Amino acid sequence: MTEKCGVVGVSLDGRDAARPLYYALYALQHRGQESAGIVTHDGFQQHSHVEMGLVGDVFDEGDLDALNGSAGIGHVRYPTAGSVDDCCAQPFSVSFKSGSLGLSHNGNLVNAEEIRDELAGLGHAFTSDGDTEVIAHDLARNLLEADLVRAVKRTMNRIHGSYSLTISHDDTVLGVRDPRGNRPLCIGSVDDGYVIASESAAIDTLDGELVRDVRPGELVVLEPDGSGFDSYQLVEPDRTAHCFFEHVYFARPDSVIDEHLVYEVRRELGRKLWAESGVESDVVMPVPDSGRAFASGYAEAAAETTPTGEPREDEDGGPEFAEGLMKNRYVGRTFIMPTQDERERAVRLKLNPIKSTVEGKSVTLIDDSIVRGTTSTQLVDLLKDCGAAEVHMRIGAPPIVAPCYMGIDMATRGELIAADRSVEEIRDVIAADSLAYLSTDAVAEALTAERGDLCLGCVTGEYPYDIEGEETDRDVNRPDIGPESAAADD
Ligand code: SF4
Protein backbone atom coordinates (compact mmCIF):
# COMPACT_ATOMS: atom_id res chain seq x y z
CA MET A 1 0.00 0.00 0.00
CA THR A 2 1.53 3.28 -1.00
CA GLU A 3 0.95 6.76 0.25
CA LYS A 4 -0.51 9.38 -1.96
CA CYS A 5 0.84 12.84 -2.46
CA GLY A 6 1.67 15.75 -0.22
CA VAL A 7 0.84 19.36 -1.05
CA VAL A 8 1.85 22.67 0.49
CA GLY A 9 1.38 26.38 -0.20
CA VAL A 10 3.01 29.36 1.49
CA SER A 11 2.48 33.13 1.38
CA LEU A 12 4.90 35.32 3.35
CA ASP A 13 5.50 38.99 3.99
CA GLY A 14 8.53 39.69 1.79
CA ARG A 15 10.60 36.62 2.76
CA ASP A 16 11.35 34.09 0.02
CA ALA A 17 8.99 31.10 0.18
CA ALA A 18 11.38 28.54 -1.35
CA ARG A 19 13.09 27.38 1.85
CA PRO A 20 9.92 27.11 3.96
CA LEU A 21 8.37 25.13 1.10
CA TYR A 22 11.44 22.90 0.96
CA TYR A 23 11.30 22.19 4.71
CA ALA A 24 7.56 21.54 4.53
CA LEU A 25 8.12 19.05 1.70
CA TYR A 26 10.69 17.28 3.85
CA ALA A 27 8.01 16.94 6.54
CA LEU A 28 5.64 15.48 3.92
CA GLN A 29 8.16 13.13 2.30
CA HIS A 30 6.32 10.06 3.66
CA ARG A 31 3.40 10.95 1.36
CA GLY A 32 5.40 10.59 -1.85
CA GLN A 33 8.92 9.61 -2.83
CA GLU A 34 8.73 9.59 -6.62
CA SER A 35 9.15 13.29 -7.41
CA ALA A 36 9.27 16.67 -5.69
CA GLY A 37 8.77 20.21 -6.88
CA ILE A 38 8.30 23.85 -5.98
CA VAL A 39 6.71 26.68 -7.96
CA THR A 40 7.10 30.27 -6.72
CA HIS A 41 6.03 33.67 -7.99
CA ASP A 42 7.93 36.90 -7.37
CA GLY A 43 5.16 39.31 -8.43
CA PHE A 44 6.41 39.41 -12.01
CA GLN A 45 7.09 35.88 -13.08
CA GLN A 46 6.72 32.27 -12.05
CA HIS A 47 9.70 30.06 -11.19
CA SER A 48 9.60 26.28 -11.14
CA HIS A 49 11.86 23.42 -10.15
CA VAL A 50 10.39 19.93 -10.40
CA GLU A 51 12.31 16.69 -10.67
CA MET A 52 12.06 12.98 -10.06
CA GLY A 53 13.53 11.91 -6.72
CA LEU A 54 13.44 12.59 -2.99
CA VAL A 55 13.23 16.17 -1.69
CA GLY A 56 16.84 16.08 -0.45
CA ASP A 57 18.09 15.03 -3.89
CA VAL A 58 15.87 17.24 -6.03
CA PHE A 59 16.95 20.65 -4.65
CA ASP A 60 20.38 22.14 -4.01
CA GLU A 61 21.23 25.62 -2.70
CA GLY A 62 21.32 27.07 -6.20
CA ASP A 63 17.90 25.67 -7.07
CA LEU A 64 16.36 27.18 -3.96
CA ASP A 65 18.09 30.54 -4.56
CA ALA A 66 16.63 30.66 -8.06
CA LEU A 67 13.07 30.12 -6.77
CA ASN A 68 12.35 33.79 -6.13
CA GLY A 69 9.22 35.16 -4.56
CA SER A 70 7.40 35.17 -1.26
CA ALA A 71 4.52 33.00 -2.48
CA GLY A 72 4.58 29.48 -3.83
CA ILE A 73 3.41 25.91 -3.70
CA GLY A 74 5.13 22.52 -3.44
CA HIS A 75 4.41 18.87 -4.00
CA VAL A 76 5.77 15.41 -3.26
CA ARG A 77 4.33 12.71 -5.43
CA TYR A 78 3.73 9.06 -5.45
CA PRO A 79 2.10 8.37 -8.81
CA THR A 80 -1.56 7.49 -8.46
CA ALA A 81 -2.89 8.66 -11.81
CA GLY A 82 -0.81 9.18 -14.88
CA SER A 83 2.57 7.82 -15.90
CA VAL A 84 5.53 7.19 -13.63
CA ASP A 85 7.79 9.74 -15.26
CA ASP A 86 8.59 13.40 -15.08
CA CYS A 87 5.70 14.51 -17.30
CA CYS A 88 3.41 13.94 -14.30
CA ALA A 89 5.68 15.33 -11.59
CA GLN A 90 4.18 18.35 -9.84
CA PRO A 91 3.47 21.18 -9.22
CA PHE A 92 2.04 21.41 -12.71
CA SER A 93 2.67 24.92 -14.03
CA VAL A 94 1.37 26.79 -17.03
CA SER A 95 1.24 30.38 -18.31
CA PHE A 96 -1.82 31.56 -20.14
CA LYS A 97 -3.70 34.73 -21.08
CA SER A 98 -4.83 35.52 -17.54
CA GLY A 99 -1.42 34.98 -15.91
CA SER A 100 0.40 31.98 -14.58
CA LEU A 101 -0.93 28.98 -12.73
CA GLY A 102 0.73 26.33 -10.56
CA LEU A 103 -1.15 23.34 -9.22
CA SER A 104 -0.39 20.60 -6.67
CA HIS A 105 -2.90 17.80 -6.26
CA ASN A 106 -3.40 15.09 -3.66
CA GLY A 107 -6.18 12.66 -4.55
CA ASN A 108 -7.67 11.22 -7.69
CA LEU A 109 -10.48 12.37 -9.96
CA VAL A 110 -12.85 9.68 -11.19
CA ASN A 111 -14.18 11.74 -14.13
CA ALA A 112 -10.87 13.15 -15.44
CA GLU A 113 -11.19 11.34 -18.78
CA GLU A 114 -14.59 12.90 -19.51
CA ILE A 115 -13.28 16.40 -18.84
CA ARG A 116 -10.04 15.76 -20.71
CA ASP A 117 -11.98 14.62 -23.80
CA GLU A 118 -14.22 17.65 -23.65
CA LEU A 119 -11.31 20.09 -23.25
CA ALA A 120 -9.29 18.33 -25.96
CA GLY A 121 -12.29 18.79 -28.26
CA LEU A 122 -12.09 22.52 -27.50
CA GLY A 123 -8.44 22.61 -28.57
CA HIS A 124 -6.63 22.12 -25.24
CA ALA A 125 -3.34 20.29 -25.76
CA PHE A 126 -2.30 18.00 -22.90
CA THR A 127 1.31 17.15 -22.10
CA SER A 128 0.61 14.39 -19.56
CA ASP A 129 -1.97 11.71 -18.89
CA GLY A 130 -2.48 12.78 -15.28
CA ASP A 131 -5.66 14.22 -13.80
CA THR A 132 -3.88 17.26 -12.32
CA GLU A 133 -3.32 18.77 -15.75
CA VAL A 134 -7.04 18.33 -16.41
CA ILE A 135 -7.82 20.46 -13.35
CA ALA A 136 -5.23 23.06 -14.41
CA HIS A 137 -6.64 23.35 -17.94
CA ASP A 138 -10.19 23.55 -16.68
CA LEU A 139 -9.29 26.26 -14.20
CA ALA A 140 -7.28 28.19 -16.80
CA ARG A 141 -10.26 28.14 -19.13
CA ASN A 142 -12.62 29.31 -16.40
CA LEU A 143 -10.23 32.12 -15.44
CA LEU A 144 -10.66 33.57 -18.93
CA GLU A 145 -14.34 34.16 -18.18
CA ALA A 146 -14.65 34.54 -14.42
CA ASP A 147 -12.84 35.93 -11.41
CA LEU A 148 -10.66 33.62 -9.31
CA VAL A 149 -13.30 32.51 -6.82
CA ARG A 150 -15.99 31.86 -9.44
CA ALA A 151 -13.48 30.11 -11.69
CA VAL A 152 -12.52 27.70 -8.88
CA LYS A 153 -16.18 27.09 -8.15
CA ARG A 154 -16.92 26.29 -11.80
CA THR A 155 -14.08 23.77 -11.83
CA MET A 156 -15.28 22.24 -8.55
CA ASN A 157 -18.74 21.86 -10.12
CA ARG A 158 -17.24 19.77 -12.91
CA ILE A 159 -14.62 17.59 -11.28
CA HIS A 160 -15.70 14.49 -9.36
CA GLY A 161 -13.45 12.61 -6.99
CA SER A 162 -10.93 13.23 -4.34
CA TYR A 163 -8.78 16.36 -4.27
CA SER A 164 -6.87 18.54 -1.88
CA LEU A 165 -5.18 21.23 -3.95
CA THR A 166 -2.73 24.02 -3.45
CA ILE A 167 -2.82 26.44 -6.35
CA SER A 168 -0.79 29.50 -7.21
CA HIS A 169 -2.35 32.07 -9.50
CA ASP A 170 0.47 34.55 -10.01
CA ASP A 171 1.46 35.47 -6.44
CA THR A 172 -1.85 34.42 -4.88
CA VAL A 173 -1.84 31.02 -3.16
CA LEU A 174 -5.07 29.05 -2.74
CA GLY A 175 -6.09 25.85 -0.99
CA VAL A 176 -9.11 23.79 -2.05
CA ARG A 177 -10.53 20.64 -0.46
CA ASP A 178 -13.08 18.48 -2.23
CA PRO A 179 -16.66 18.65 -0.95
CA ARG A 180 -16.31 15.32 0.85
CA GLY A 181 -12.99 16.20 2.44
CA ASN A 182 -11.54 12.86 1.38
CA ARG A 183 -7.91 13.96 1.61
CA PRO A 184 -6.64 16.10 4.49
CA LEU A 185 -5.69 19.78 4.15
CA CYS A 186 -5.05 22.32 6.87
CA ILE A 187 -4.10 25.97 7.39
CA GLY A 188 -1.35 27.23 9.65
CA SER A 189 0.19 30.54 10.58
CA VAL A 190 3.85 31.46 10.85
CA ASP A 191 5.30 34.76 12.15
CA ASP A 192 5.19 36.44 8.77
CA GLY A 193 2.52 34.59 6.84
CA TYR A 194 0.30 31.58 6.28
CA VAL A 195 0.75 27.98 5.19
CA ILE A 196 -1.62 25.42 3.67
CA ALA A 197 -0.47 21.81 3.91
CA SER A 198 -1.63 18.21 3.68
CA GLU A 199 -0.63 17.59 7.28
CA SER A 200 -0.03 19.77 10.31
CA ALA A 201 3.43 18.21 10.79
CA ALA A 202 4.57 20.43 7.89
CA ILE A 203 3.33 23.51 9.78
CA ASP A 204 5.15 22.34 12.94
CA THR A 205 8.35 22.05 10.93
CA LEU A 206 8.07 25.76 10.08
CA ASP A 207 7.55 26.64 13.77
CA GLY A 208 4.00 27.55 12.87
CA GLU A 209 0.64 27.10 14.58
CA LEU A 210 -2.15 24.97 13.21
CA VAL A 211 -5.11 27.29 12.61
CA ARG A 212 -7.66 24.71 11.48
CA ASP A 213 -8.52 22.15 8.83
CA VAL A 214 -9.65 23.43 5.45
CA ARG A 215 -13.35 22.53 5.42
CA PRO A 216 -14.75 20.13 2.83
CA GLY A 217 -15.89 22.23 -0.15
CA GLU A 218 -13.94 25.29 1.03
CA LEU A 219 -11.60 27.56 -0.91
CA VAL A 220 -8.96 29.39 1.13
CA VAL A 221 -7.18 32.35 -0.49
CA LEU A 222 -3.97 33.55 1.19
CA GLU A 223 -3.20 37.29 1.07
CA PRO A 224 -0.07 37.78 -1.07
CA ASP A 225 1.53 39.91 1.70
CA GLY A 226 1.09 37.11 4.27
CA SER A 227 -1.33 39.18 6.36
CA GLY A 228 -4.22 36.71 6.44
CA PHE A 229 -6.57 34.59 4.40
CA ASP A 230 -10.10 34.67 3.03
CA SER A 231 -12.47 31.73 3.14
CA TYR A 232 -15.18 30.83 0.61
CA GLN A 233 -17.47 27.88 1.25
CA LEU A 234 -17.99 27.11 -2.44
CA VAL A 235 -19.84 23.82 -2.03
CA GLU A 236 -21.96 22.94 1.00
CA PRO A 237 -21.22 19.30 1.73
CA ASP A 238 -24.13 17.11 2.74
CA ARG A 239 -21.97 14.30 4.04
CA THR A 240 -18.22 14.02 4.22
CA ALA A 241 -16.10 11.03 3.20
CA HIS A 242 -12.85 11.39 5.10
CA CYS A 243 -10.40 8.62 4.26
CA PHE A 244 -10.13 6.59 7.47
CA PHE A 245 -6.86 5.10 6.26
CA GLU A 246 -5.14 8.47 6.70
CA HIS A 247 -5.51 7.86 10.43
CA VAL A 248 -4.72 4.18 10.29
CA TYR A 249 -1.68 4.23 8.05
CA PHE A 250 -0.83 7.13 5.78
CA ALA A 251 -0.49 10.23 7.91
CA ARG A 252 2.32 10.94 10.32
CA PRO A 253 1.37 10.09 13.92
CA ASP A 254 2.32 13.63 14.99
CA SER A 255 -0.16 15.22 12.56
CA VAL A 256 -3.57 16.50 13.55
CA ILE A 257 -6.16 15.64 10.90
CA ASP A 258 -9.77 16.76 11.11
CA GLU A 259 -9.15 17.74 14.72
CA HIS A 260 -7.72 14.37 15.75
CA LEU A 261 -4.10 13.70 16.64
CA VAL A 262 -3.27 10.68 14.50
CA TYR A 263 -1.16 9.06 17.24
CA GLU A 264 -4.06 9.18 19.71
CA VAL A 265 -6.48 7.77 17.14
CA ARG A 266 -4.13 4.84 16.56
CA ARG A 267 -3.82 4.20 20.29
CA GLU A 268 -7.59 4.32 20.64
CA LEU A 269 -7.95 1.87 17.74
CA GLY A 270 -5.54 -0.40 19.62
CA ARG A 271 -7.65 -0.12 22.77
CA LYS A 272 -10.77 -1.02 20.81
CA LEU A 273 -8.96 -3.94 19.23
CA TRP A 274 -8.35 -5.33 22.71
CA ALA A 275 -11.99 -4.74 23.68
CA GLU A 276 -13.27 -6.51 20.54
CA SER A 277 -10.84 -9.38 20.15
CA GLY A 278 -8.26 -9.35 22.95
CA VAL A 279 -6.42 -12.61 23.52
CA GLU A 280 -4.29 -13.45 26.54
CA SER A 281 -0.64 -13.87 25.60
CA ASP A 282 2.80 -13.35 27.13
CA VAL A 283 3.89 -10.55 24.86
CA VAL A 284 2.27 -7.86 22.69
CA MET A 285 4.54 -6.59 19.98
CA PRO A 286 4.07 -4.16 17.12
CA VAL A 287 5.08 -4.60 13.53
CA PRO A 288 7.43 -1.63 13.31
CA ASP A 289 6.79 1.15 12.68
CA SER A 290 3.17 1.10 11.58
CA GLY A 291 1.81 -1.07 14.39
CA ARG A 292 3.51 0.71 17.28
CA ALA A 293 0.76 3.11 18.43
CA PHE A 294 -1.91 0.41 17.98
CA ALA A 295 0.12 -2.03 20.07
CA SER A 296 0.69 0.49 22.85
CA GLY A 297 -3.07 1.19 23.09
CA TYR A 298 -3.85 -2.54 22.94
CA ALA A 299 -1.32 -3.37 25.68
CA GLU A 300 -2.56 -0.49 27.85
CA ALA A 301 -6.17 -1.72 27.60
CA ALA A 302 -5.00 -5.30 28.18
CA ALA A 303 -3.38 -4.23 31.45
CA GLU A 304 -6.71 -2.79 32.66
CA THR A 305 -9.22 -5.49 31.72
CA THR A 306 -9.40 -9.15 30.82
CA PRO A 307 -10.44 -10.21 27.29
CA THR A 308 -14.02 -10.45 28.57
CA GLY A 309 -13.95 -6.89 29.89
CA GLU A 310 -13.56 -7.66 33.60
CA PRO A 311 -11.23 -5.30 35.51
CA ARG A 312 -7.94 -6.99 36.29
CA GLU A 313 -7.33 -7.77 39.94
CA ASP A 314 -3.60 -7.91 39.51
CA GLU A 315 -1.93 -4.56 38.68
CA ASP A 316 0.78 -6.33 36.73
CA GLY A 317 -1.72 -8.36 34.77
CA GLY A 318 -2.01 -8.54 31.03
CA PRO A 319 0.63 -9.20 28.42
CA GLU A 320 3.95 -7.42 28.41
CA PHE A 321 4.47 -4.79 25.71
CA ALA A 322 7.76 -5.45 23.91
CA GLU A 323 9.60 -4.45 20.78
CA GLY A 324 10.35 -7.91 19.46
CA LEU A 325 11.06 -7.08 15.85
CA MET A 326 13.96 -4.84 14.92
CA LYS A 327 13.80 -2.88 11.72
CA ASN A 328 16.70 -2.37 9.38
CA ARG A 329 16.11 1.25 8.36
CA TYR A 330 18.43 1.09 5.40
CA VAL A 331 16.33 -1.26 3.33
CA GLY A 332 13.98 0.24 0.77
CA ARG A 333 10.27 0.04 1.33
CA THR A 334 8.78 -3.23 0.12
CA PHE A 335 6.45 -1.58 -2.36
CA ILE A 336 9.28 -0.51 -4.63
CA MET A 337 10.19 -4.15 -5.15
CA PRO A 338 8.30 -5.08 -8.27
CA THR A 339 8.03 -8.86 -8.09
CA GLN A 340 6.47 -11.08 -5.45
CA ASP A 341 9.76 -12.92 -4.96
CA GLU A 342 11.68 -9.70 -4.30
CA ARG A 343 8.97 -8.49 -1.97
CA GLU A 344 9.29 -11.64 0.12
CA ARG A 345 13.05 -11.25 0.40
CA ALA A 346 12.62 -7.61 1.37
CA VAL A 347 10.56 -8.55 4.44
CA ARG A 348 13.38 -10.80 5.66
CA LEU A 349 15.88 -8.04 5.07
CA LYS A 350 13.79 -5.46 6.87
CA LEU A 351 12.79 -7.12 10.13
CA ASN A 352 14.71 -9.30 12.54
CA PRO A 353 13.21 -10.82 15.73
CA ILE A 354 14.80 -10.45 19.17
CA LYS A 355 15.04 -14.06 20.26
CA SER A 356 14.80 -13.53 24.02
CA THR A 357 11.50 -11.64 23.61
CA VAL A 358 9.96 -14.33 21.50
CA GLU A 359 11.35 -17.76 22.40
CA GLY A 360 8.87 -20.00 24.17
CA LYS A 361 6.31 -17.16 24.42
CA SER A 362 2.81 -16.70 23.14
CA VAL A 363 3.01 -13.54 21.08
CA THR A 364 0.31 -11.13 19.91
CA LEU A 365 1.58 -9.30 16.85
CA ILE A 366 -0.18 -6.02 16.03
CA ASP A 367 -0.25 -4.38 12.63
CA ASP A 368 -2.39 -1.73 10.97
CA SER A 369 -3.48 -3.71 7.93
CA ILE A 370 -2.99 -6.77 5.78
CA VAL A 371 -2.90 -6.10 2.04
CA ARG A 372 -1.56 -9.07 0.07
CA GLY A 373 -0.68 -11.11 3.17
CA THR A 374 2.95 -11.55 2.15
CA THR A 375 4.40 -9.58 5.06
CA SER A 376 2.09 -11.16 7.63
CA THR A 377 2.92 -14.68 6.43
CA GLN A 378 6.63 -13.92 6.60
CA LEU A 379 6.37 -12.40 10.06
CA VAL A 380 4.42 -15.29 11.55
CA ASP A 381 6.98 -17.63 9.99
CA LEU A 382 9.89 -15.57 11.36
CA LEU A 383 8.48 -15.54 14.89
CA LYS A 384 7.76 -19.27 14.85
CA ASP A 385 11.26 -19.96 13.50
CA CYS A 386 12.53 -17.93 16.42
CA GLY A 387 10.75 -20.17 18.90
CA ALA A 388 7.41 -18.41 19.51
CA ALA A 389 4.97 -20.90 21.06
CA GLU A 390 1.93 -19.13 19.56
CA VAL A 391 1.48 -16.16 17.24
CA HIS A 392 -1.82 -14.28 17.40
CA MET A 393 -2.29 -11.55 14.82
CA ARG A 394 -4.45 -8.50 15.54
CA ILE A 395 -5.13 -5.83 12.91
CA GLY A 396 -6.12 -2.25 13.72
CA ALA A 397 -8.47 -1.89 10.73
CA PRO A 398 -11.15 -3.95 8.98
CA PRO A 399 -10.11 -6.37 6.17
CA ILE A 400 -9.24 -4.63 2.89
CA VAL A 401 -11.59 -6.21 0.38
CA ALA A 402 -11.55 -3.75 -2.52
CA PRO A 403 -9.21 -1.32 -4.26
CA CYS A 404 -8.99 2.42 -3.71
CA TYR A 405 -9.91 4.76 -6.56
CA MET A 406 -9.20 7.93 -4.58
CA GLY A 407 -5.47 8.07 -4.93
CA ILE A 408 -3.98 5.14 -3.07
CA ASP A 409 -2.12 2.40 -4.84
CA MET A 410 -3.49 -0.43 -2.78
CA ALA A 411 -3.35 -3.46 -5.12
CA THR A 412 -6.03 -4.95 -7.31
CA ARG A 413 -8.89 -7.10 -6.03
CA GLY A 414 -7.03 -10.20 -7.26
CA GLU A 415 -4.02 -9.30 -5.12
CA LEU A 416 -5.92 -8.44 -1.93
CA ILE A 417 -5.87 -11.41 0.41
CA ALA A 418 -9.21 -10.47 1.98
CA ALA A 419 -11.05 -9.84 -1.30
CA ASP A 420 -12.42 -13.37 -1.48
CA ARG A 421 -11.41 -15.02 1.79
CA SER A 422 -13.00 -15.19 5.22
CA VAL A 423 -10.95 -14.16 8.27
CA GLU A 424 -10.49 -17.85 9.11
CA GLU A 425 -9.21 -18.56 5.60
CA ILE A 426 -6.74 -15.68 5.88
CA ARG A 427 -5.59 -16.99 9.26
CA ASP A 428 -4.96 -20.31 7.60
CA VAL A 429 -2.93 -18.69 4.78
CA ILE A 430 -0.71 -16.69 7.12
CA ALA A 431 -0.46 -19.65 9.52
CA ALA A 432 -1.24 -17.62 12.65
CA ASP A 433 -2.79 -19.25 15.73
CA SER A 434 -5.55 -16.67 15.66
CA LEU A 435 -6.41 -13.59 13.64
CA ALA A 436 -8.84 -10.74 14.25
CA TYR A 437 -9.52 -7.40 12.62
CA LEU A 438 -11.15 -4.27 13.99
CA SER A 439 -14.77 -3.53 13.05
CA THR A 440 -15.83 -0.53 10.97
CA ASP A 441 -17.99 0.65 13.89
CA ALA A 442 -14.93 0.76 16.13
CA VAL A 443 -13.10 2.83 13.50
CA ALA A 444 -15.99 5.31 13.36
CA GLU A 445 -16.12 5.51 17.17
CA ALA A 446 -12.38 6.15 17.44
CA LEU A 447 -12.74 8.99 14.94
CA THR A 448 -15.89 10.25 16.71
CA ALA A 449 -17.55 10.21 13.30
CA GLU A 450 -20.70 8.76 11.81
CA ARG A 451 -19.87 5.80 9.58
CA GLY A 452 -21.60 7.68 6.76
CA ASP A 453 -19.14 10.56 7.03
CA LEU A 454 -16.13 8.35 6.36
CA CYS A 455 -14.84 6.77 3.20
CA LEU A 456 -14.78 3.03 3.90
CA GLY A 457 -14.64 2.00 0.23
CA CYS A 458 -11.69 -0.35 0.50
CA VAL A 459 -13.18 -2.25 3.45
CA THR A 460 -16.84 -2.31 2.35
CA GLY A 461 -16.57 -2.23 -1.47
CA GLU A 462 -19.01 0.71 -1.47
CA TYR A 463 -17.63 4.11 -2.38
CA PRO A 464 -18.63 7.72 -1.73
CA TYR A 465 -18.07 8.64 -5.39
CA ASP A 466 -19.72 7.49 -8.60
CA ILE A 467 -17.13 4.99 -9.87
CA GLU A 468 -17.85 2.95 -12.96
CA GLY A 469 -18.66 -0.67 -12.13
CA GLU A 470 -18.64 -0.13 -8.34
CA GLU A 471 -21.36 0.25 -5.70
CA THR A 472 -21.87 3.56 -3.90
CA ASP A 473 -22.60 3.98 -0.20
CA ARG A 474 -24.75 7.07 -0.78
CA ASP A 475 -26.87 8.81 -3.37
CA VAL A 476 -24.14 10.22 -5.58
CA ASN A 477 -23.78 10.84 -9.31
CA ARG A 478 -21.06 12.30 -11.48
CA PRO A 479 -21.75 15.93 -12.30
CA ASP A 480 -22.96 17.02 -15.69
CA ILE A 481 -19.81 18.59 -17.07
CA GLY A 482 -21.55 20.83 -19.61
CA PRO A 483 -20.31 24.45 -19.31
CA GLU A 484 -23.83 25.79 -18.70
CA SER A 485 -24.45 23.62 -15.63
CA ALA A 486 -21.00 24.37 -14.19
CA ALA A 487 -21.64 28.11 -14.41
CA ALA A 488 -25.32 27.91 -13.44
CA ASP A 489 -24.90 28.77 -9.78
CA ASP A 490 -22.20 31.46 -10.15
S1 SF4 B 1 -11.06 3.58 -0.44
FE1 SF4 B 1 -9.91 3.28 1.51
S2 SF4 B 1 -7.88 4.14 1.19
FE2 SF4 B 1 -9.21 4.87 -0.47
S3 SF4 B 1 -9.96 6.88 0.23
FE3 SF4 B 1 -11.48 5.35 0.84
S4 SF4 B 1 -10.87 4.72 2.91
FE4 SF4 B 1 -9.12 5.79 2.00
Side-chain angles (χ1 to χ4, degrees):
M1 217 172 5
T2 57
E3 289 93 343
K4 302 146 293 179
C5 301
V7 301
V8 61
V10 164
S11 197
L12 304 172
D13 179 16
R15 178 165 60 111
D16 271 351
R19 277 177 177 72
L21 287 167
Y22 171 71
Y23 298 136
L25 291 181
Y26 249 114
L28 298 174
Q29 184 77 83
H30 62 290
R31 298 185 70 87
Q33 300 86 38
E34 190 74 35
S35 68
I38 291 176
V39 165
T40 59
H41 199 285
D42 61 12
F44 299 100
Q45 72 180 103
Q46 185 165 263
H47 307 274
S48 170
H49 185 89
V50 180
E51 269 180 23
M52 304 302 285
L54 297 170
V55 177
D57 300 326
V58 163
F59 302 97
D60 62 25
E61 283 289 329
D63 299 326
L64 294 176
D65 288 343
L67 288 164
N68 294 323
S70 58
I73 61 171
H75 190 266
V76 284
R77 176 172 194 264
Y78 185 83
T80 52
S83 318
V84 187
D85 59 37
D86 53 7
C87 77
C88 287
Q90 298 181 31
F92 184 82
S93 58
V94 62
S95 291
F96 65 112
K97 217 167 138 192
S98 296
S100 60
L101 206 57
L103 206 133
S104 295
H105 176 202
N106 173 206
N108 196 43
L109 299 188
V110 296
N111 70 340
E113 285 309 310
E114 278 172 59
I115 299 176
R116 175 196 298 275
D117 289 348
E118 190 226 16
L119 291 174
L122 294 170
H124 288 250
F126 289 88
T127 58
S128 74
D129 56 359
D131 55 353
T132 307
E133 191 180 359
V134 171
I135 303 175
H137 275 262
D138 200 71
L139 187 55
R141 183 180 70 159
N142 289 333
L143 279 166
L144 297 176
E145 297 169 358
D147 62 33
L148 186 58
V149 174
R150 280 191 305 148
V152 172
K153 185 169 184 185
R154 286 185 184 191
T155 293
M156 287 175 80
N157 285 345
R158 284 159 56 77
I159 58 181
H160 186 61
S162 150
Y163 54 92
S164 277
L165 306 169
T166 52
I167 303 170
S168 57
H169 179 230
D170 295 335
D171 59 355
T172 301
V173 170
L174 332 173
V176 182
R177 196 171 178 198
D178 83 63
R180 292 179 181 81
N182 185 252
R183 306 265 72 88
L185 195 66
C186 59
I187 316 165
S189 64
V190 291
D191 284 348
D192 53 353
Y194 283 84
V195 183
I196 303 166
S198 293
E199 291 184 36
S200 63
I203 297 166
D204 296 340
T205 305
L206 303 180
D207 274 338
E209 292 289 325
L210 173 65
V211 174
R212 63 172 172 83
D213 296 292
V214 175
R215 288 186 278 269
E218 184 186 17
L219 161 68
V220 171
V221 183
L222 303 188
E223 296 289 350
D225 63 0
S227 61
F229 65 87
D230 292 317
S231 156
Y232 303 87
Q233 190 64 47
L234 296 185
V235 181
E236 282 298 340
D238 44 355
R239 283 162 62 190
T240 59
H242 300 310
C243 167
F244 85 98
F245 248 106
E246 286 285 349
H247 296 273
V248 166
Y249 179 81
F250 300 119
R252 281 173 55 147
D254 52 337
S255 283
V256 176
I257 291 182
D258 292 318
E259 299 179 5
H260 292 85
L261 177 64
V262 172
Y263 178 73
E264 283 306 333
V265 170
R266 288 182 190 165
R267 274 177 47 81
E268 184 57 24
L269 291 169
R271 292 183 64 87
K272 290 190 179 301
L273 194 54
W274 171 260
E276 285 190 344
S277 62
V279 56
E280 290 289 17
S281 63
D282 299 319
V283 184
V284 172
M285 66 173 65
V287 176
D289 298 310
S290 51
R292 196 164 280 136
F294 296 87
S296 98
Y298 181 95
E300 183 185 77
E304 293 166 8
T305 61
T306 65
T308 52
E310 304 298 318
R312 289 212 191 260
E313 310 267 305
D314 176 2
E315 277 190 8
D316 297 325
E320 177 198 353
F321 175 84
E323 298 275 358
L325 287 166
M326 283 302 113
K327 188 170 176 175
N328 177 349
R329 298 190 183 282
Y330 302 98
V331 177
R333 303 173 66 144
T334 50
F335 66 75
I336 62 172
M337 308 282 174
T339 68
Q340 184 72 9
D341 179 50
E342 283 170 309
R343 242 182 248 122
E344 282 173 15
R345 207 171 319 129
V347 174
R348 294 258 178 192
L349 279 170
K350 262 172 82 172
L351 294 165
N352 196 34
I354 296 175
K355 202 162 186 177
S356 61
T357 319
V358 173
E359 200 168 22
K361 309 264 179 68
S362 61
V363 174
T364 303
L365 187 63
I366 313 269
D367 207 352
D368 54 9
S369 52
I370 301 180
V371 182
R372 294 176 174 82
T374 313
T375 305
S376 306
T377 307
Q378 292 273 321
L379 290 177
V380 172
D381 193 33
L382 263 184
L383 293 174
K384 293 223 161 161
D385 268 1
C386 204
E390 293 171 8
V391 180
H392 303 276
M393 191 104 196
R394 293 292 177 272
I395 304 297
I400 299 171
V401 299
C404 175
Y405 297 90
M406 272 66 78
I408 295 164
D409 185 9
M410 193 171 251
T412 61
R413 267 197 175 82
E415 293 168 320
L416 292 168
I417 193 170
D420 54 4
R421 288 182 184 85
S422 66
V423 173
E424 176 53 23
E425 285 168 337
I426 299 167
R427 186 209 61 73
D428 194 44
V429 171
I430 67 172
D433 290 278
S434 75
L435 167 69
Y437 291 84
L438 198 62
S439 68
T440 47
D441 286 343
V443 169
E445 276 169 30
L447 288 167
T448 58
E450 299 288 325
R451 263 185 67 133
D453 283 326
L454 297 173
C455 177
L456 296 164
C458 53
V459 296
T460 61
E462 294 179 352
Y463 298 86
Y465 299 96
D466 179 2
I467 297 162
E468 225 170 277
E470 297 287 1
E471 301 286 317
T472 57
D473 66 4
R474 60 194 70 193
D475 188 14
V476 60
N477 288 307
R478 291 179 186 212
D480 173 0
I481 62 165
E484 299 78 16
S485 58
D489 61 347
D490 266 4

